[in-house]
Amino acid sequence: MLIESVELRELRLPLVSPFTTSFSTQTERNTLVLRVAGSVPTPNGRVDVVGWGECVALGEPLYSPEYIDGAKRMIQLYLLPMLARVQAEGREVTAETVGALLEKVVGHRMAKAAIEMAVLDAELRARGESFARYFGATRTRVPAGVSVGIQPSVDALLGAVGGYLDEGYVRIKLKIQPGWDLAPVAAVRQQFGDEVLLQVDANAAYTLADAQHLRRLDDYGLLLIEQPLAEDDLVQHAKLATAMSTPICLDESIESAKDAADAITLGAASVINIKPGRVGGYLEAKRIHDLSRAHGVAVWCGGMLETGLGRAANAALAALDGFSLPGDISASDRFYREDITEPFVLRDGHIDVPQGPGLGVEPIPENLARVTHDTQEVWPA
Ligand SMILES: CSCC[C@@H](NC(=O)CCC(=O)O)C(=O)O
Ligand SMILES: [Mg+2]
């Protein structure tokens, strides 16, 4: 692709209800979308293309070191100028080379992932290929799990979980933290039975000193416990794994295929939550899928409250064979009254995988404008 312009839009989407985790309460999703325009070569000459990318960093650096303001500056001051220099040398940028072209910049995987996603979308739209087909997806719809935040009371939690089950969600994930773990899990089991697919996510809220306490979760038949310890605690997760029978799943700890290999080798995880933005892009996400599959490690697609753009790409990725557990790929209305794309809706507990070229979705201009906080043209002149 020869990039000609890049529009960076900071969005603010109000959440339908507060979303509380062990590290924050969010009432709006502050996010970043990129619109990359340019041309790609085809057998019949160059065609003009547009591609969309989404940066999954949160508004504040509380889930990971990246945050929206930082990602904006990273993309504008470092990443795009590096790609412009590549083009000035007469070379094209492709989705498969973006990661290598940007690797001199240490980290900033979510910012890099947004650019790679937009270039991949543009290339695939030009050749009429969907993300699903490009990744080798084998399904046209994926089971929808839902992430339930920490609630003001157990009663409120039971109401929320009951509502999601009534909507048809096939898997419930409860956010937990010290002081809100055994009681909510026990209450959900008590109210909705042992058949419900149930898992928990601590967002790194515990330490190995909590091992005996966490081990009591083993009584509730959970699918997994996600990121119980700090993101840099691989060895400690491996130790925790020997102290409890509930499978350990890692999220924040896995930022690359290398991390996944280390976690598997150390026995720090027997399940991996793959989030394309966290690992630097969909191509690295696919590599982690392939690696995990080779080791018999189950993976599922995590969520970062994406708009319909990221949701479309995540649904395509989650349709790969190795994604054997329901992901955090809920309907748009789980978080948003209005999405920036046509909404993703739950159908028999599943989300349809877009089949159109590229992402298969694009922003609805009026919807995008309504939530745009600022727009900048950031391709170096
Ligand atoms: C603001 S919390 C975002 C990270 C969190 N994501 C979710 O809980 C799923 C959110 C979603 O369904 O997009 C996680 O740690 O897995
Ligand atoms: Mg998580």
Side-chain angles (χ1 to χ4, degrees):
M1 179 178 189
L2 282 180
I3 301 172
E4 288 153 22
S5 70
V6 177
E7 184 185 271
L8 198 48
R9 278 176 182 261
E10 180 179 343
L11 310 183
R12 291 191 177 164
L13 291 90
L15 298 187
V16 293
S17 59
F19 185 53
T20 300
T21 65
S22 63
F23 62 80
S24 81
T25 292
Q26 281 180 268
T27 56
E28 76 170 15
R29 180 53 159 116
N30 180 204
T31 190
L32 206 51
V33 296
L34 270 76
R35 177 185 181 279
V36 175
S39 67
V40 296
T42 73
N44 312 320
R46 300 194 73 84
V47 293
D48 290 339
V49 288
V50 166
W52 291 90
E54 179 168 356
C55 177
V56 300
L58 298 182
E60 297 176 298
L62 300 176
Y63 163 82
S64 75
E66 294 188 76
Y67 62 106
I68 288 302
D69 265 352
K72 280 171 80 171
R73 290 179 60 78
M74 173 49 58
I75 289 167
Q76 185 171 2
L77 298 182
Y78 293 92
L79 303 181
L80 293 181
M82 289 169 77
L83 299 183
R85 281 195 291 278
V86 166
Q87 289 192 183
E89 291 159 7
R91 288 184 289 157
E92 303 221 7
V93 172
T94 69
E96 282 150 9
T97 56
V98 163
L101 292 173
L102 298 177
E103 72 180 341
K104 272 202 177 59
V105 165
V106 179
H108 297 282
R109 290 178 172 82
M110 294 174 177
K112 293 175 180 176
I115 296 172
E116 181 193 270
M117 176 180 167
V119 173
L120 181 58
D121 182 34
E123 288 176 348
L124 294 181
R125 283 181 199 269
R127 56 180 200 241
E129 188 176 3
S130 67
F131 264 57
R133 186 175 161 68
Y134 175 75
F135 292 138
T138 55
R139 288 170 280 173
T140 57
R141 64 191 200 125
V142 293
V146 66
S147 180
V148 186
I150 292 169
Q151 301 294 314
S153 68
V154 168
D155 279 352
L157 176 74
L158 294 176
V161 171
Y164 292 131
L165 290 172
D166 290 346
E167 287 184 58
Y169 283 101
V170 300
R171 184 269 283 142
I172 298 290
K173 159 167 144 177
L174 303 180
K175 290 294 185 179
I176 61 170
Q177 64 184 7
W180 178 269
D181 46 31
L182 294 174
V185 167
V188 167
R189 274 290 182 236
Q190 171 72 32
Q191 178 87 5
F192 301 106
D194 294 338
E195 303 312 308
V196 171
L197 297 183
L198 184 63
Q199 63 193 55
V200 295
D201 184 0
N203 288 107
Y206 297 87
T207 70
L208 209 47
D210 300 307
Q212 290 317 311
H213 175 76
L214 290 171
R215 178 201 181 111
R216 293 171 59 194
L217 287 169
D218 287 348
D219 297 341
Y220 298 99
L222 299 178
L223 284 172
L224 54 92
I225 176 171
E226 187 180 342
Q227 200 70 41
L229 311 178
E231 82 284 345
D232 57 355
D233 273 354
L234 280 194
V235 172
Q236 299 199 24
H237 276 103
K239 193 134 183 56
L240 179 65
T242 63
M244 59 191 301
S245 60
T246 303
I248 304 281
C249 171
L250 292 178
D251 171 351
E252 290 90 330
S253 294
I254 308 298
E255 293 195 323
S256 64
K258 178 195 166 299
D259 289 348
D262 289 351
I264 292 167
T265 304
L266 286 168
S270 48
V271 185
I272 292 177
N273 166 339
I274 296 182
K275 291 177 179 175
R278 182 193 76 221
V279 300
Y282 286 87
L283 304 189
E284 186 74 357
K286 170 82 166 56
R287 286 188 278 268
I288 295 172
H289 161 271
D290 297 346
L291 168 88
S292 303
R293 212 164 168 223
H295 287 268
V297 169
V299 299
W300 54 282
C301 187
M304 290 297 286
L305 291 81
E306 287 91 346
T307 71
L309 296 171
R311 206 160 291 276
N314 287 354
L317 183 75
L320 281 169
D321 269 351
F323 285 83
S324 53
L325 290 169
D328 284 342
I329 304 181
S330 42
S332 293
D333 69 4
R334 159 64 186 90
F335 291 106
Y336 305 118
R337 192 180 50 73
E338 180 181 85
D339 204 332
I340 61 169
T341 63
E342 285 301 320
F344 281 82
V345 295
L346 208 55
R347 214 166 44 81
D348 305 325
H350 287 66
I351 292 290
D352 290 331
V353 176
Q355 299 301 320
L359 290 168
V361 300
E362 54 191 5
I364 298 164
E366 310 78 67
N367 296 23
L368 183 60
R370 260 195 287 279
V371 293
T372 295
H373 179 65
D374 80 40
T375 304
Q376 290 169 286
E377 170 49 51
V378 290
W379 183 248

